[in-house]
Amino acid sequence: MAGGEISAESKVPEVVDKWLAEFREMVDLGTRSGTSYDTYYNRWTKLLLPRVRDFSISEMTAGRADRIVHDINKSHSAATAKTCRAILSGACGLAVRHGAIKTNPIRDVRRVEQGRRRKRVSRALSVPEALKIFELFDADLVAVRQDLPDIARYFGGTGNRTGETLAIRWERIDFDAQVAYVDNNLVRIKGEGLKLNDGKSETAQRGIPLARWLVEMLKDRRQRVAAQHGVDPEMLEGWVFPNSRGGLREANNLRRDWRAFRRRHKLGEWFTPYTFRRTVATLVTDELPTREASDLLGHSRISQTTDTYVGRKAVSRKAAEVLEIFARAEEREFNVTKIEPEDPAAP
């Protein structure tokens, strides 16, 4: 591939490497996600490269690519197969632009279908279950030391992603308006470490309406943290949920602590930080139009039946009013003595 040119005889690994290099340039420009690059690189080196290393780009026919993609689907997952298909499509598209091949053969590769027997890794909690789990966090001295009770409540009161929660700063919480502003998402990028990105879409940056109980929890937390640092609570700045040294907390470390808590209380693999995001989405959409949940969660699309985004920049209080249901357990009449066992068919 002299001078960077791609020919029909260029090996597939050479073309993919050039496509990944171009993708990396877009990451540096901020137009693509660094985590997407890491995913592509991982799938390429571990799954695709061993299967295509001996082929030239002109030998990457639709039939050969189809067999490779669907073999990966059978041995791994539909999501992984779709990623591999995207890598091959990107490389072949690059070859088309260089005149090495006439058309992109990946267009004729069969669609990757999700199998019916899909492992459910998370489910929504009922309100009694969520309240009971909050109690378990409060009573677990290890979890308290790891700062999990407040983080779990923030998940439950906002539906934020893990990276968004760890990236929230005190100065971006408006206590008077009862709104937390999501500006960034915390990710780890291979070779660069922890990074803050702007999210996958424009709607990822948004205001989160806060229920009154969550505002009180955050005020209490701010009071305690400010006292530790000897500053006025209203002047406190920095990460709301930092690591033990006051810096950005690793999402992987949080998930590790979460898994340990889950094992201690025999909650099952379905209970992840994402469980609260699914729970919030379920509670809000049960009571309000889908648009309200979409605004709260920062989704770019609200449903297949809704194609307009009216008022998406406005911060609605309605979702916070729904999430008042997580007010202190003793103020409600729920029976929170038992968490129902895992039901694979549960939504």
Side-chain angles (χ1 to χ4, degrees), residues 20-316:
L20 284 172
E22 291 188 357
F23 193 96
R24 183 70 217 193
E25 291 176 359
M26 291 187 286
V27 172
D28 294 339
L29 290 172
T31 59
R32 292 292 187 274
S33 165
T35 52
S36 295
Y37 175 85
D38 285 350
T39 299
Y40 287 141
Y41 182 83
N42 179 275
R43 300 294 186 266
W44 162 243
T45 55
K46 293 184 177 180
L47 297 178
L48 276 176
L49 179 58
R51 290 172 164 90
V52 302
R53 68 168 73 247
D54 296 327
F55 300 125
S56 68
I57 195 65
S58 60
E59 293 174 318
M60 187 48 58
T61 62
R64 177 168 282 139
D66 186 89
R67 289 191 293 274
I68 291 171
V69 168
H70 286 275
D71 176 64
I72 292 172
N73 187 19
K74 292 177 182 178
S75 61
H76 291 77
S77 69
T80 298
K82 288 178 181 178
T83 300
C84 292
R85 189 182 191 275
I87 295 169
L88 292 176
S89 180
C92 289
L94 179 62
V96 170
R97 293 194 293 276
H98 279 250
I101 55 179
K102 293 183 178 181
T103 60
N104 189 332
I106 311 305
R107 294 176 181 174
D108 295 321
V109 171
R110 288 173 295 163
R111 290 182 57 188
V112 177
E113 302 291 346
Q114 177 69 54
R116 292 184 179 181
R117 297 185 63 184
R118 180 182 178 185
K119 181 180 178 183
R120 188 175 296 277
V121 297
S122 181
R123 65 172 175 85
L125 297 168
S126 67
V127 171
E129 285 178 325
L131 294 173
K132 178 59 179 178
I133 285 175
F134 290 154
E135 290 184 355
L136 291 178
F137 274 118
D138 292 340
D140 187 319
L141 295 181
V142 175
V144 171
R145 188 171 67 250
Q146 295 169 338
D147 208 13
L148 295 184
D150 282 0
I151 293 175
R153 284 181 167 84
Y154 192 84
F155 282 148
T158 63
N160 275 186
R161 302 172 177 91
T162 299
E164 292 172 341
T165 296
L166 298 182
I168 197 72
R169 298 179 64 88
W170 287 113
E171 53 266 41
R172 297 301 290 149
I173 299 178
D174 187 331
F175 284 93
D176 294 329
Q178 299 184 344
V179 173
Y181 291 97
V182 175
D183 298 320
N184 303 110
N185 185 45
L186 176 66
V187 297
R188 172 168 283 281
I189 299 177
K190 185 179 180 65
E192 296 186 23
L194 292 177
K195 301 277 287 186
L196 293 174
N197 67 24
D198 296 335
K200 293 185 176 181
S201 65
E202 182 182 355
T203 53
Q205 297 184 356
R206 63 201 187 279
I208 302 292
L210 304 178
R212 288 185 295 274
W213 64 267
L214 184 55
V215 172
E216 293 306 313
M217 185 275 280
L218 289 169
K219 283 184 176 179
D220 178 72
R221 181 181 179 85
R222 183 177 64 165
Q223 189 79 30
R224 288 183 279 113
V225 174
Q228 293 173 0
H229 290 84
V231 300
D232 186 285
E234 295 187 359
M235 301 299 294
L236 186 65
E237 296 182 347
W239 313 114
V240 176
F241 302 109
N243 61 25
S244 59
R245 299 181 300 278
L248 279 167
R249 181 169 182 161
E250 284 268 12
N252 286 338
N253 290 346
L254 171 61
R255 295 187 185 103
R256 178 200 61 203
D257 296 341
W258 197 278
R259 288 193 298 270
F261 170 85
R262 183 175 69 199
R263 289 193 295 269
R264 289 196 299 272
H265 297 280
K266 299 179 174 58
L267 290 174
E269 293 185 3
W270 58 268
F271 181 61
T272 70
Y274 183 81
T275 302
F276 280 109
R277 185 168 171 83
R278 185 181 292 260
T279 299
V280 168
T282 301
L283 289 171
V284 174
T285 53
D286 280 349
E287 298 291 334
L288 298 172
T290 307
R291 180 175 59 82
E292 296 284 349
S294 183
D295 285 343
L296 183 70
L297 300 174
H299 290 155
S300 58
R301 294 181 297 171
I302 56 178
S303 74
Q304 293 180 343
T305 58
T306 306
D307 56 8
T308 58
Y309 302 98
V310 179
R312 294 190 63 80
K313 289 298 182 182
V315 178
S316 170

